[in-house]
Structures are given as C-alpha cells and as structure tokens.
Amino acid sequence: MAKIRVLMVCLGNICRSPMAHGVFAARIREHGLEHAIEVDSAGTAGYHVGAKPDRRASQEARSRGYDLDDLRARQLEPEDFLEFDYILTMDDANYRNAEAIRPPEARAKLLRFLDFAPQFDEHEVPDPYYGGDEGFVHVMDLVEAAADGLLAHIRERHTLKAS
Ligand code: 4NP
C-alpha cells in the first residue's frame, strides 16, 4: 500500500513547519506507523532554502524530546500537490500562498493544521520568528495538540494498524 504523505507548510520552513515535522515524525514512530505514513515540511517563501531550523525552534523541540537537527529548509512547489496527500498550513497567509500555486490536477488536500486542535481557540500558529523564546513554547503547545489530532484523523480515515 502506498504511504500516506503529509507536508507541513509555513513561511520560512525554519520555525513552525520544522517543529510540526519533528513532532509528527515522532508520533508516527511512537504509533509504529513508519510503514504507512511519512512527513516532510516546506516554506512558501525561499529565503531560507538549505538552512537548518532556527536555533530557538530546535532548542524548544529538544527540551520536549524531538530532534530537528537533520531538517533543512526547502520551498513549496506546485509538484508537492501531486506527491502529497495532505498539505497542512500553519497560518492563513501560508494557506493563500499555497492555494495560489495549487495545480488543477492536485491530489493533496490543503488544510489548516490547527483545524486538528479544536481545544485551542486559535486558528493560526503564530509566526514566532521576530518574537522571544516564549513564542516558540506556545508554537510547540499548538503543534503537539494538532499533531495528535491529525494522526487520529488519518488513522480513522485510513484504518491504519501499527506494524
Ligand atoms: P516560519 O518563521 O515561517 O515559522 O519558518 C519565519 C521564518 C523566517 C521569516 C519569517 C517567518 N523571515 O521573514 O525570514
């Protein structure tokens, strides 16, 4: 069976989407679903292509047991809509920018990541780049909740079993 492919998207692919990538990858492993689901991340902008995650993102992730060291930024491309099943955007600007390059033959579902964290009132993962460390703590709280919700959604829709 083809793997279900999930792509996390923000603006720069150095803060929010790498955090979402690292957390979701850990959830896939914890649930024994590496054979069934894979995750990647990208940014709608190309400013940071090839860069490692922001140090503050890596530190907050590490403090909660996630390792982002091997991730490198890349830019979202129209072809991603053909290769992925789910494209999850962190905020509304990311959603609009992704929608603008979605090809007509897209197979990916374009969704807002925080739709999977209904316990939070927020609908966007706020951009932490120009703020302080506390912004990264909050991003991680949102991302962990949405990752759990997304995994539950995918498991239910695709009736996946652990290996
Ligand atoms: P991200 O954060 O979209 O969560 O990766 C940002 C990273 C870089 C910039 C903005 C947001 N920037 O303007 O360079």
Side-chain angles (χ1 to χ4, degrees), residues 9-19 42-45 47-48 54 56-57 73 90-91 94 125-130 136 139:
V9 171
C10 62
L11 175 62
N13 193 209
I14 56 168
C15 298
R16 292 165 291 175
S17 60
M19 293 164 91
T44 59
Y47 324 128
H48 298 280
D54 185 282
R56 298 162 296 173
M90 299 297 132
D91 68 27
N94 309 149
V125 182
D127 183 349
Y129 188 65
Y130 293 107
F136 287 81
V139 166

Side-chain angles (χ1 to χ4, degrees), residues 4-159:
I4 296 161
R5 304 193 71 207
V6 173
L7 184 65
M8 305 295 187
V9 171
C10 62
L11 175 62
N13 193 209
I14 56 168
C15 298
R16 292 165 291 175
S17 60
M19 293 164 91
H21 183 162
V23 171
F24 201 62
R27 293 291 178 273
I28 293 169
R29 282 195 301 276
E30 288 157 13
H31 290 261
L33 291 170
E34 295 104 316
H35 62 289
I37 310 176
E38 65 183 37
V39 61
D40 191 10
S41 60
T44 59
Y47 324 128
H48 298 280
V49 168
K52 292 183 176 184
D54 185 282
R55 182 185 45 77
R56 298 162 296 173
S58 295
Q59 277 177 357
E60 180 56 28
R62 191 172 310 114
S63 77
R64 300 194 194 199
Y66 310 105
D67 181 359
L68 308 186
D69 288 352
D70 291 340
L71 305 184
R72 298 292 179 273
R74 74 171 181 89
Q75 189 168 11
L76 179 70
E77 302 171 341
E79 294 71 36
D80 288 317
F81 283 89
L82 310 179
E83 286 162 20
F84 286 85
D85 299 289
Y86 293 92
I87 298 182
L88 285 311
T89 54
M90 299 297 132
D91 68 27
D92 291 345
N94 309 149
Y95 187 96
R96 286 191 300 273
N97 290 334
E99 203 172 29
I101 64 160
R102 172 167 56 183
E105 67 275 28
R107 74 168 198 174
K109 283 194 170 72
L110 180 63
L111 300 168
R112 292 170 174 81
F113 192 39
L114 284 196
D115 286 352
F116 296 97
Q119 64 271 51
F120 283 92
D121 290 336
E122 293 155 88
H123 298 288
E124 300 184 279
V125 182
D127 183 349
Y129 188 65
Y130 293 107
D133 291 350
E134 68 289 347
F136 287 81
V137 175
H138 183 52
V139 166
M140 206 41 137
D141 290 341
L142 296 171
V143 161
E144 286 189 320
D148 290 340
L150 176 64
L151 188 69
H153 173 86
I154 290 176
R155 290 193 79 156
E156 197 175 296
R157 275 191 75 94
H158 302 271
T159 56

